[in-house]
Amino acid sequence: MSPDSAESSDVLPSTSPAFDAAPIHARPFNHTPAYPPPDLESCDQEPIHVPGAIQPHGLLVALDDEQRIVTASRNIERLVGHRTADVLGASLTDVLGPSATAALDLALEDGDLLSPIRIRLDPNDGTLSSCDVDLVVHRSGGRTVVELEPVESPQLSATVSYRSARTAVARLTETETTAELCERLATEIRQVTGFDRVMVYRFDEHWNGEVVAEDRREDLNPFLGLHYPATDIPAQARRLYTVNWTRLIADIAYEPVPLEPVLDPASGAPLDLSHSVLRSVSPIHIEYLSNMGVSASMSVSMVKDGALWGLVACHHYSGPLRVPFDARSAAEFLGQTASHLIDDRERADHHADERRSSALLGGITTSLAGDPRPVYDALYSDERLLSLVGAHGTALFADGQLLTLGEVPPASVLHDIAARVGAADGKATATNHLAGLSPDLAEWAHLAAGALHIGNGPDRWMLWLRPEIEKTVDWGGDPTNKLIAATEDPSVRLSPRKSFAKWRQVVRGQSLPWESWQLEVVENLRQHLSAELLRRTHEHTTLAESLQRTLVLDEAPSFDGLEVLARYRPAKGSQLGGDWWDAFSLPDGTVVMAVGDVAGHGVSAATAMAQIRTGLRAYMIDGQSPAACVDRLDVLTRTLLPGQTATVVVLTISPDTGAVRLASAGHLPALLVRPEQAEVLPEAGRPLLGIGFGAARTDELVLDPGDTLVLYTDGLVERRGVELDVSIEQLRSAAGTTAGADLEGWVDALLTTVPGTLDDDLTIVALRPKGSRA
């Protein structure tokens, strides 16, 4: 089982050399008097939120609307000196004193439930007489629930929660990656709470878990990288984690304190303790912790976009540990802070992966361009092809020839995989569970449990393959873990080793999942390969037209805050032209748009178009400004496409502010259409790409709501016998007088603004902000 097996708790593996206490299922304690003891087969149905009992280090009362006690924990006589039977029906003031009632009224008045209020109890005949306590209030159905915990060393707890947490948050924000964030979080929470081991446990898309960070006592063996099945933390436990972020078990060997009565007298149902800080936990969970030698535990939730992302699990081995409420609040605050930072760190991780893969792809394609061998032979002699997407094997089939690299199954199996995974359009597709597509493929999972596919027709495809996870992860890899597994009593029902074995069964036949950026990088490779083949063959017109269809988008992508419309028209006779356009988002939300025109027609123009477009994407993803991107495209054109020239205009726009940064190389000027007028923007920057002269500059402007920016190629305005300036003025005049709310109709009207025969292909892209900005 996992950090919180069968219970919404923190059961990440921890070990002690020996644990000679009696098995928990043999003890007389009833942890859940509200329902029968669960078994391993039904634990996913266990109603853990209504146990009917609490842990003994505090007391609980439930009140009706008149603040009279309807339910009380049976330890109330020991703690405050009133028999349980006598407090039922009594007022809170009569039982806990005026100070508790005043604190309750304050919490209800402020609406600040679940935050502790520190008070000193009035004198009574129990052990909490005149003691400092933390009073916590929450609502459960129609009841107001009040819980008290005695404060131990109040000065120390205040120091821990304030002084440590303040600087810890600053250290969390200094991290740059998800791994660094989780490692720092484990360290900070261990320092705040004093547990022997603190681990960060992350869920995958199927709710299987992995220990991704750990901070521990030096003599404890590591559990970093261990995996657990989704069944260890069932759905009802995950729900509790999202409503109650912190849970403490101060003493695993605690004797549960039943509530009196177990069933609410009004509803006839057990009291819902989802928000309780003292809730008794599942006996299955206690059994698991006991078998691991854990004496105290705590968990802190990590929630991203309202869903459980992971857990911080804390374990102690050297006796009970009652973490002060302030320290628990500090740990919860650190968990919340980390939760807010996760999205940014994951984006940074993906961006770094994209940059590494772009650099790797650049190296591969550069080598191809200078290699005299046939394209596919050169490609499959490059080991970087495996590292490109983290594969163990790859295969290519084209023109009746099969090439492989790394570890792959037989040819017949490869053809079967390609047929099952590939899409009709050849675009990148992937699966991490080939056996789910065909049971016959299960026997090859040691080589190919997952596959990534690109194609160019039914008889041309490439595959990247990954083996099943079971092959690459082993719980017994750590020498100490091997010893634990070898010496474990066969009668033990629950343990980390048994959980890991169950996880291996769950994931058998599955590979690590493919990331979206990996599909993008092989899609870019597909375009590179098509371009390289076209460059070498010069006459494969069918392939060239397929390449252009791949590169020139059929319609504009959708972007939040922007309306984008594009039109492309081929030249007379459908001759393959050099027009292209592109639009995509950067990790920070900025949108990049570009329109270009490569000189010439046919295969050579399409080849150059592919390389320039791919280069632009790589440079912009790498963080270059539009001007720097244009200058680097000039170097690329001169280096890889000698004798070729092209024009391009590149811009970035912030959907939130409308701020535009624009750079151009020899391209026709953009058209800015405002409600009151249309204007032709100054021609910006350097001459054509490929001539090695001049430097680009970045111009800036702001698109306000109602403004429209138009980018186009010369096919829209260039006509025989008509001066270009005259045609552009015709376009400007028509744009200013016909602009309206219907962007599609407006753009279609502009296509016929300049009369005459269309001798060249034509591209027009219009963009404008949606709605209004505050």
Side-chain angles (χ1 to χ4, degrees):
M1 304 190 96
S2 84
D4 261 355
S5 53
E7 157 67 19
S8 72
S9 155
D10 46 280
V11 191
L12 282 181
S14 16
T15 60
S16 184
F19 186 78
D20 56 7
I24 200 69
H25 54 276
R27 298 180 187 178
F29 302 155
N30 185 358
H31 289 78
T32 57
Y35 56 85
D39 55 38
L40 296 183
E41 286 70 34
S42 63
C43 66
D44 62 335
Q45 306 296 321
E46 185 181 3
I48 56 179
H49 62 297
V50 288
I54 64 169
Q55 299 176 56
H57 59 273
L59 67 83
L60 179 149
V61 294
L63 312 176
D64 62 16
D65 292 339
E66 297 178 354
Q67 294 191 4
R68 294 190 174 277
I69 297 174
V70 295
T71 301
S73 56
R74 291 185 187 175
N75 59 353
I76 197 165
E77 180 174 3
R78 176 174 61 84
L79 297 180
V80 296
H82 293 279
R83 292 192 316 140
T84 308
D86 295 337
V87 304
L88 297 179
S91 70
L92 184 69
T93 302
D94 291 340
V95 177
L96 297 183
S99 60
T101 303
L104 172 62
D105 292 340
L106 177 63
L108 295 176
E109 180 181 349
D110 293 344
D112 187 18
L113 304 184
L114 299 178
S115 295
I117 300 175
R118 185 153 298 171
I119 63 172
R120 174 157 293 184
L121 275 186
D122 297 295
N124 56 56
D125 295 331
T127 58
L128 294 183
S129 177
S130 302
C131 288
D132 289 327
V133 296
D134 284 321
L135 181 145
V136 184
V137 182
H138 72 271
R139 296 285 296 175
S140 179
R143 303 305 189 194
T144 300
V145 179
V146 178
E147 296 176 274
L148 298 183
E149 282 190 55
V151 175
E152 297 179 358
S153 304
Q155 184 176 2
L156 174 61
S157 70
T159 301
V160 167
S161 64
Y162 175 72
R163 184 186 304 166
S164 299
R166 181 181 61 179
T167 55
V169 167
R171 288 190 288 266
L172 288 177
T173 59
E174 291 171 357
T175 60
E176 296 183 354
T177 66
T178 305
E180 290 177 3
L181 176 64
C182 293
E183 289 167 3
R184 173 51 59 185
L185 181 63
T187 299
E188 299 296 345
I189 288 185
R190 184 169 177 237
Q191 290 177 353
V192 168
T193 60
F195 278 94
D196 290 333
R197 186 198 299 270
V198 174
M199 292 158 285
V200 178
Y201 178 85
R202 179 178 183 174
F203 296 108
D204 66 14
E205 68 274 19
H206 302 298
W207 298 109
N208 300 306
E210 177 187 2
V211 182
V212 295
E214 177 183 48
D215 191 88
R216 57 187 167 82
R217 213 173 61 198
E218 289 186 0
D219 60 315
L220 296 175
N221 56 304
F223 285 90
L224 187 65
L226 298 194
H227 294 72
Y228 298 87
T231 52
D232 271 14
I233 305 181
Q236 77 272 29
R238 296 195 297 268
R239 183 194 69 83
L240 279 184
Y241 275 124
T242 60
V243 300
N244 195 347
W245 282 46
T246 307
R247 214 286 322 282
L248 172 72
I249 306 177
D251 184 357
I252 294 302
Y254 75 89
E255 180 176 353
V257 178
L259 301 182
E260 181 65 37
V262 171
L263 302 181
D264 186 282
S267 66
L271 184 65
D272 187 339
L273 298 181
S274 294
H275 292 282
S276 170
V277 298
L278 296 171
R279 177 176 58 87
S280 185
V281 299
S282 167
I284 292 178
H285 176 52
I286 294 295
E287 178 182 347
Y288 185 78
L289 290 175
S290 299
N291 289 340
M292 291 160 52
V294 175
S295 56
S297 79
M298 190 177 88
S299 62
V300 179
S301 302
M302 298 180 71
V303 178
K304 173 187 170 185
D305 298 330
L308 193 61
W309 182 90
L311 296 171
V312 180
C314 313
H315 288 169
H316 208 59
Y317 310 113
S318 47
L321 179 64
R322 194 163 76 79
V323 180
F325 208 114
D326 284 341
R328 281 141 56 193
S329 297
E332 180 176 340
F333 179 63
L334 293 176
Q336 291 174 340
T337 300
S339 297
H340 290 306
L341 294 172
I342 286 170
D343 203 33
D344 285 340
R345 300 302 180 270
E346 288 186 329
R347 278 201 302 268
D349 292 343
H350 286 307
H351 187 39
D353 290 337
E354 289 171 357
R355 292 181 63 178
R356 283 191 293 268
S357 67
S358 293
L360 208 57
L361 179 60
I364 292 171
T365 55
T366 300
S367 297
L368 278 180
D371 196 316
R373 293 177 293 175
V375 171
Y376 296 141
D377 290 345
L379 180 65
Y380 269 73
S381 66
D382 194 334
E383 293 283 345
R384 291 175 296 182
L385 194 60
L386 296 173
S387 303
L388 188 65
V389 292
H392 287 213
T394 180
L396 177 146
F397 183 75
D399 302 326
Q401 181 184 18
L402 179 66
L403 299 175
T404 65
L405 184 65
E407 299 178 331
V408 300
S412 59
V413 178
L414 292 172
H415 283 286
D416 188 21
I417 293 172
R420 296 181 184 279
V421 179
D425 60 5
K427 291 185 177 180
T429 52
T431 177
N432 71 329
H433 190 205
L434 286 169
L437 301 179
S438 170
D440 293 340
L441 295 175
E443 66 176 297
W444 301 105
H446 63 290
L447 294 175
L452 173 57
H453 175 282
I454 56 173
N456 194 359
D459 58 348
R460 289 174 177 266
W461 48 258
M462 282 184 69
L463 290 174
W464 285 264
L465 305 172
R466 288 175 175 170
E468 60 186 346
I469 302 174
E470 182 184 5
K471 174 183 175 181
T472 57
V473 180
D474 190 353
W475 185 80
D478 180 86
T480 309
N481 294 342
K482 288 182 177 179
L483 179 61
I484 294 168
T487 58
E488 184 173 88
D489 189 329
S491 66
V492 171
R493 304 189 304 167
L494 305 170
S495 72
R497 181 184 64 81
K498 284 182 167 57
S499 276
F500 187 80
K502 188 174 183 181
W503 175 82
R504 292 182 67 172
Q505 292 176 1
V506 170
V507 301
R508 180 167 293 140
Q510 298 181 33
S511 73
L512 289 172
W514 304 92
E515 302 288 348
S516 59
W517 64 265
Q518 292 170 330
L519 272 68
E520 292 176 7
V521 75
V522 299
E523 187 67 36
N524 286 337
L525 175 63
R526 180 168 80 109
Q527 296 172 7
H528 271 291
L529 290 175
S530 296
E532 182 63 19
L533 288 168
L534 289 172
R535 184 179 72 84
R536 295 190 182 199
T537 61
H538 295 291
E539 298 300 330
H540 292 174
T541 305
T542 302
L543 284 176
E545 290 175 346
S546 175
L547 170 65
Q548 188 178 45
R549 285 194 297 270
T550 300
L551 295 177
V552 179
L553 304 176
D554 292 330
E555 59 184 23
S558 176
F559 302 106
D560 291 340
L562 290 178
E563 187 177 5
V564 181
L565 188 73
R567 290 286 186 265
Y568 172 78
R569 296 287 185 271
K572 182 180 179 181
S574 299
Q575 187 178 20
L576 197 61
D579 277 14
W580 61 273
W581 69 277
D582 201 3
F584 57 97
S585 295
L586 297 178
D588 64 357
T590 299
V591 174
V592 178
M593 303 200 69
V595 172
D597 187 3
V598 176
H601 297 86
V603 172
S604 61
T607 302
M609 175 206 318
Q611 292 183 276
I612 292 173
R613 178 184 178 272
T614 303
L616 179 141
R617 279 202 166 217
Y619 300 149
M620 294 305 295
I621 289 174
D622 195 41
Q624 301 293 322
S625 68
C629 174
V630 168
D631 287 339
R632 293 185 68 175
L633 287 176
D634 177 70
V635 176
L636 179 148
T637 305
R638 287 186 287 116
T639 303
L640 299 182
L641 305 168
Q644 181 69 64
T645 60
T647 70
V648 69
V649 57
V650 183
L651 68 82
T652 62
I653 180 169
S654 168
D656 295 331
T657 65
V660 175
R661 305 179 73 215
L662 180 146
S664 173
H667 204 81
L668 293 173
L671 189 65
L672 176 59
V673 183
R674 300 191 187 277
E676 64 276 8
Q677 66 175 358
E679 62 177 302
V680 178
L681 296 180
E683 293 190 28
R686 62 180 304 145
L688 300 173
L689 299 178
I691 65 174
F693 178 78
R697 74 170 190 269
T698 296
D699 290 342
E700 299 184 357
L701 58 98
V702 174
L703 284 186
D704 293 318
D707 294 348
T708 304
L709 189 63
V710 181
L711 309 178
Y712 54 94
T713 58
D714 55 8
L716 181 65
V717 293
E718 196 170 66
R719 298 292 184 269
R720 292 178 185 177
V722 181
E723 292 290 334
L724 187 59
D725 289 343
V726 174
S727 298
I728 292 176
E729 174 56 26
Q730 287 179 310
L731 178 66
R732 185 204 66 78
S733 178
T737 57
T738 62
D742 179 12
L743 186 62
E744 182 173 357
W746 180 66
V747 168
D748 288 340
L750 292 181
L751 292 175
T752 59
T753 294
V754 180
T757 302
L758 185 60
D759 295 323
D760 197 0
D761 53 346
L762 173 160
T763 300
I764 181 171
V765 178
L767 66 150
R768 65 186 181 191
K770 289 182 181 177
S772 60
R773 290 191 296 270

